[in-house]
Amino acid sequence: MKKILITGGAGFIGSHVVRHFVKKYNQYKIFNVDCLTYAGNLTNLSDIEGYSNYEFIKEDINNDEAIFALFEKEQFDAVIHLAAESHVDRSISNPKAFIQTNIMGTVNLLNASKKIWGEENKENLFFHVSTDEVYGSLGDTGHFTEETSYDPRSPYSASKASSDHFVRAWYHTYKLPIIISNCSNNYGPNQFPEKLIPLFINNIINNKPLPVYGKGENVRDWLYVIDHAEAIDVIFHNGKVGDTYNIGGHNEWKNIDLIKVLCKVMDEKLGRPENTSEELITYVKDRAGHDLRYAIDASKLQNELGWKPSVQFEEGLKLTVDWYLNNKEWLNNVTSGDYQKYYENQYLKR
Ligand code: NAD
Ligand code: TYD
């Protein structure tokens, strides 16, 4: 049985990736290593907890001794690395945590993989999950390709860019078998309500203002999270070692246009009169160094590996809204911090 370590599996994207692999591949044992920061939530995975090919291990990737010991004990065949500090606004107020986890934590995992796999290894894989934000900010035209030069501009994107460079350095210097993917903005169930879409859903439910940064003219390329998990699967199994793959939704939206569509969907779902939610829109001070536009050219992934997004934005947005409306307890728990109790009850008291 192949042993695969997925880091950050209790977070938004990680939980979808873990579920996807656990359910689809019973010939793999999936180890989810996560230290459960504010963004990590084991209720995201309560449906697969009992699966025999799944194991959760609470560990911090910054703890290099514990990480080494774990790799030695379990002898993982492959790593899919998602654990990270992931929110740009938090990186602006507390950059150090991003440097620590996103750079040093990644290097710890690279070192541990190198140590147990040796140099001339062909069977193993270190899959590093990264972001399109490493490429910087686009003007009104153009797309990021795998050849676009790195130009990160926020502490978050600088830390992810740095981690990408270290992953490539371990490939060139130590022949560690690696693949990197750089994906556009994800949305969907289980996203912590600090990112645009879930934050605004939560605020609309609670009739709170919707804080639009600047004029709302920044553009993001949105991908449904389950499509991202599929792309990671395809690249993990068929990607070329040493290569980079861009993943994107071909789905650019100006923030304010997206927010207006979201408001409309929310009014419909909540049975409120038209324009009720739009009235909550409040323009606030812009984010410092706010990147204007991200847009991914994912043609390499489509042409070489046959992946393309399957969920249309309007459909994905409705699925997302439905999920939050049907999981108000999840929302209340993550916003109150009560979900930590879940971990204690599930794992420490038995
Ligand atoms: P998230 O913040 O929802 O989850 C991150 C997870 O990592 C959490 O479960 C957290 O507990 C865990 N974690 C954080 N620090 C850790 C540490 N030191 N040790 C162990 N676990 C730790 O993030 P996400 O949005 O799911 O993003 C996952 C990955 O995908 C990140 O690497 C991110 O850069 C990348 N990515 C995200 C997006 C997006 O739109 N969210 C887009 C492209 C790439
Ligand atoms: P976010 O979800 O934080 O993702 P990222 O910054 O990684 O792209 O933000 C998406 C866009 O929405 C970005 O242009 C910033 C904007 N935004 C707001 O206007 N208001 C908010 O409260 C948040 C969180 C984001």
Side-chain angles (χ1 to χ4, degrees):
M1 195 185 230
K2 218 175 186 176
K3 288 180 166 186
I4 302 176
L5 166 64
I6 299 182
T7 69
F12 166 48
I13 301 170
S15 61
H16 289 281
V17 175
V18 166
R19 176 178 299 100
H20 178 94
F21 274 77
V22 166
K23 287 195 162 175
K24 188 166 170 190
Y25 299 108
N26 58 17
Q27 70 274 35
Y28 296 163
K29 173 141 188 205
I30 304 301
F31 293 81
N32 169 16
V33 165
D34 195 301
C35 72
L36 303 181
T37 67
Y38 76 94
N41 185 346
L42 285 176
T43 59
N44 291 345
L45 291 166
S46 48
D47 58 323
I48 59 152
E49 225 154 50
Y51 281 55
S52 59
N53 66 333
Y54 170 66
E55 187 172 331
F56 173 70
I57 298 166
K58 186 172 187 291
E59 194 50 79
D60 189 335
I61 60 165
N62 292 309
N63 183 343
D64 58 349
E65 283 179 13
I67 290 294
F68 272 119
L70 185 62
F71 272 69
E72 265 175 352
K73 174 169 175 245
E74 299 295 351
Q75 297 289 314
F76 301 120
D77 296 289
V79 175
I80 305 176
H81 175 36
L82 295 106
E85 292 291 340
S86 68
H87 189 42
V88 173
D89 292 323
R90 285 182 190 252
S91 83
I92 294 169
S93 50
N94 181 18
K96 265 195 167 175
F98 287 70
I99 295 160
Q100 188 61 48
T101 289
N102 298 1
I103 305 175
M104 296 303 293
T106 300
V107 170
N108 288 339
L109 294 167
L110 288 168
N111 274 336
S113 306
K114 169 177 166 265
K115 196 168 174 196
I116 63 159
W117 295 343
E119 280 215 0
E120 294 300 331
N121 195 291
K122 301 263 182 298
E123 297 299 312
N124 306 110
L125 182 64
F126 189 101
F127 188 136
H128 181 58
V129 177
S130 192
T131 167
D132 62 352
E133 304 192 24
V134 299
Y135 298 123
S137 181
L138 290 165
D140 291 336
T141 58
H143 290 82
F144 299 132
T145 73
E146 289 81 0
E147 274 71 52
T148 303
S149 300
Y150 276 33
D151 184 23
R153 294 153 40 102
S154 75
Y156 165 63
S157 55
S159 68
K160 291 296 290 187
S162 175
S163 67
D164 293 9
H165 290 321
F166 278 109
V167 172
R168 287 196 186 93
W170 259 243
Y171 170 66
H172 291 293
T173 310
Y174 305 114
K175 300 190 170 56
L176 192 80
I178 64 103
I179 287 182
I180 299 176
S181 62
N182 296 88
C183 188
S184 63
N185 286 61
N186 284 214
Y187 71 100
N190 307 92
Q191 188 169 31
F192 195 83
E194 64 183 355
K195 306 276 170 63
L196 180 73
I197 291 178
L199 177 75
F200 279 32
I201 292 173
N202 193 32
N203 285 11
I204 291 170
I205 293 172
N206 295 300
N207 280 308
K208 283 165 60 180
L210 306 177
V212 178
Y213 296 160
K215 293 183 180 152
E217 285 178 349
N218 305 67
V219 174
R220 298 292 183 263
D221 174 358
W222 294 92
L223 179 69
Y224 194 58
V225 63
I226 289 170
D227 274 331
H228 190 183
E230 280 281 352
I232 288 174
D233 178 350
V234 168
I235 298 168
F236 180 82
H237 288 100
N238 304 316
K240 188 164 162 264
V241 168
D243 266 24
T244 295
Y245 296 88
N246 280 354
I247 310 171
H250 303 295
N251 179 41
E252 288 182 52
W253 285 84
K254 211 178 252 191
N255 288 344
I256 191 63
D257 295 338
L258 183 158
I259 290 160
K260 285 183 180 168
V261 173
L262 177 64
C263 285
K264 199 161 169 278
V265 172
M266 289 297 289
D267 285 344
E268 280 164 18
K269 298 272 180 191
L270 291 169
R272 293 179 181 171
E274 260 181 55
N275 298 325
T276 308
S277 301
E278 258 196 57
E279 279 167 20
L280 297 170
I281 290 176
T282 312
Y283 291 91
V284 299
K285 188 167 174 267
D286 208 355
R287 172 187 281 171
H290 197 172
D291 289 341
L292 178 66
R293 176 170 164 260
Y294 305 141
I296 278 274
D297 175 350
S299 54
K300 173 178 174 181
L301 183 52
Q302 178 161 358
N303 296 338
E304 291 186 10
L305 305 183
W307 176 91
K308 60 179 191 323
S310 67
V311 179
Q312 295 298 312
F313 187 62
E314 286 71 11
E315 181 199 349
L317 197 61
K318 284 187 180 153
L319 289 171
T320 305
V321 167
D322 282 341
W323 187 85
Y324 282 95
L325 292 177
N326 292 330
N327 289 276
K328 286 206 184 116
E329 204 184 321
W330 183 96
L331 258 181
N332 292 338
N333 285 347
V334 299
T335 44
S336 68
D338 275 358
Y339 68 88
Q340 293 289 359
K341 285 187 199 142
Y342 175 84
Y343 171 74
E344 284 173 26
N345 287 334
Q346 254 342 88
Y347 292 95
L348 299 183
K349 289 188 183 161
R350 62 175 189 195

